[in-house]
Amino acid sequence: MLFRHLPRQTLGFFPTPIVELPRLSESLGGPRILMKRDDQTGLALGGNKTRKLEFLIADALHQNCDCVITAGAAQSNHCRQTAAAAAMVGLDCHLVLGGTPPEQANGNLLLDELLGAQIHWTGADRKGEQIGAIAAQLRAQGKYPYVIPYGGSNALGAIGFVAAMVELQQQLREMDQSLDVIVFASSSGGTQAGLTVGKALMEMAVELIGIQIDKTEDRQSSYPEQLAELASSTLQTLEESECQFQPADFQVETAYLGAGYSIVGELELSAVTLVAQTEGILLDPVYTGRAMGGLLDLIRQGRFQPQQTILFWHTGGQPALFKFVL
Ligand SMILES: *Cc1c(COP(=O)(O)O)cnc(C)c1O
């Protein structure tokens, strides 16, 4: 297989299930909807970062590092899964979190503490702006940190989602099922870049639609430009070809950013509520609630044909439900 030459540490339960959401489809009078349950990866309440961490943590062990360091928002699902993965393989974990310490930790932050992570608070910086400085401090103390970027979204992390696409294709074959569209929450880009590389390598016809969760205007380049760069370097890491991706290869819906990252509005609330009450499935308020809100809006706009089959990739995040009160 494509990534067989790379070290990989088992951290979760794969393949994750695919379920059908008939009552949600019916309530919309809309297309058939399937869901890929990456909220069930099993790593300390699961989520999509488990896939990236299988390659990143293996690399940390391969390089004989003694700790990992990564970054995110105070309610980062990526940081929680990294803390769990580190505990599982016996590495120390340093988390560089945006904000200031709350009086009482809840949601993902409570779990970070329970999992033994050491937390460094960095105020307005929630995307790892200070990782380099804190890693340097750790080195000065004689530690050997392995740096995992914000969201785990470098080429090695994205390979986790190339592997996910191979996994999906195998499941679809077994189910004798084809897909027209895959919809998912897209934020730091590893998920969308990895799925796109997997789709290209396996020559799949499916359309990929990323629902953008977080603005990227603070960076030098547009989000599709960042995705193209990440996908190209992912392909290079796989030693597959010199092929380059273009920004136009990435479909990103930017209409659902609402009042900003992690600000829960009517779109998210109604999507989380509808899926809970029609299917008994929990979405999260920040990522999958927003992405499902976007999908519901696209369906209501008539973007898809009734006979099409759509797969919503549930990327996890439910611990944040306990932070954001309905
Ligand atoms: C990180 C995350 C995403 C986005 O994945 P990226 O690879 O960062 O684009 C989506 N959903 C949840 C729940 C996440 O934690």
Side-chain angles (χ1 to χ4, degrees):
M1 197 136 306
L2 305 161
F3 28 79
R4 200 152 271 169
H5 63 290
L6 294 169
R8 186 173 183 177
Q9 171 69 44
T10 296
L11 297 173
F13 306 133
F14 299 105
T16 57
I18 294 175
V19 297
E20 184 160 0
L21 311 184
R23 287 173 39 78
L24 178 65
S25 295
E26 196 187 303
S27 78
L28 299 162
R32 187 155 172 245
I33 306 174
L34 306 178
M35 182 182 270
K36 176 81 167 144
R37 298 293 305 270
D38 270 12
D39 59 315
Q40 303 292 320
T41 62
L43 180 64
L45 301 183
N48 66 335
K49 303 312 181 303
T50 308
R51 293 188 183 275
K52 304 179 184 181
L53 288 163
E54 290 209 322
F55 290 94
L56 295 164
I57 292 288
D59 192 39
L61 294 172
H62 187 70
Q63 293 188 29
N64 291 315
C65 293
D66 54 17
C67 57
V68 296
I69 177 168
T70 195
Q75 284 296 325
S76 166
N77 300 299
H78 164 65
C79 288
R80 182 241 320 151
Q81 287 164 84
T82 304
M88 199 169 160
V89 300
L91 296 174
D92 286 342
C93 181
H94 293 262
L95 299 178
V96 178
L97 300 184
T100 51
E103 232 156 72
Q104 220 173 15
N106 55 21
N108 281 300
L109 180 59
L110 182 146
L111 300 179
D112 294 342
E113 293 182 354
L114 181 62
L115 292 161
Q118 218 167 302
I119 294 169
H120 308 257
W121 292 98
T122 55
D125 294 339
R126 63 176 169 87
K127 293 190 175 180
E129 293 85 344
Q130 299 185 32
I131 280 190
I134 295 168
Q137 284 170 21
L138 291 169
R139 283 188 203 100
Q141 292 163 21
K143 298 267 196 301
Y144 192 7
Y146 183 82
V147 177
I148 298 176
Y150 168 71
S153 284
N154 57 14
L156 203 51
I159 287 169
F161 268 89
V162 179
M165 208 57 163
V166 173
E167 173 185 307
L168 175 69
Q169 196 194 37
Q170 175 74 28
Q171 283 177 301
L172 292 173
R173 203 175 287 142
E174 285 163 11
M175 296 164 70
D176 196 20
Q177 173 70 54
S178 67
L179 290 182
D180 298 292
V181 187
I182 301 176
V183 175
F184 49 90
S186 190
S187 181
S188 68
T191 301
Q192 188 158 5
L195 291 177
T196 303
V197 170
K199 171 189 152 170
L201 290 175
M202 292 185 293
E203 299 176 343
M204 294 166 78
V206 68
E207 179 183 358
L208 301 178
I209 303 180
I211 308 287
Q212 196 177 11
I213 301 302
D214 194 2
K215 282 196 185 120
T216 51
E217 65 195 0
D218 50 327
R219 303 195 215 166
Q220 302 285 313
S221 52
S222 74
Y223 189 45
E225 284 169 343
Q226 294 164 32
L227 288 168
E229 198 172 308
L230 180 54
S232 298
S233 65
T234 301
L235 204 51
Q236 227 166 31
T237 305
L238 287 171
E239 296 165 14
E240 273 300 315
S241 76
E242 297 297 302
C243 159
Q244 292 285 315
F245 287 89
Q246 303 303 323
D249 297 328
F250 299 88
Q251 198 174 326
V252 179
E253 291 293 334
T254 59
Y256 306 108
L257 292 161
Y261 176 72
S262 146
I263 297 173
V264 182
E266 182 49 37
L267 179 94
E268 294 81 19
L269 264 183
S270 58
V272 171
T273 307
L274 181 64
V275 173
Q277 296 183 4
T278 55
E279 297 288 350
I281 291 174
L282 300 175
L283 300 175
D284 86 286
V286 178
Y287 293 92
T288 54
R290 181 164 287 180
M292 179 60 82
L295 172 58
L296 297 177
D297 184 61
L298 294 174
I299 290 172
R300 289 177 182 132
Q301 283 180 33
R303 172 85 163 258
F304 309 111
Q305 305 298 317
Q307 73 280 7
Q308 286 192 306
T309 302
I310 305 198
L311 182 133
F312 181 84
W313 205 298
H314 191 328
T315 44
Q318 294 101 323
L321 280 171
F322 301 102
K323 161 80 166 105
F324 297 91
V325 180
L326 294 183

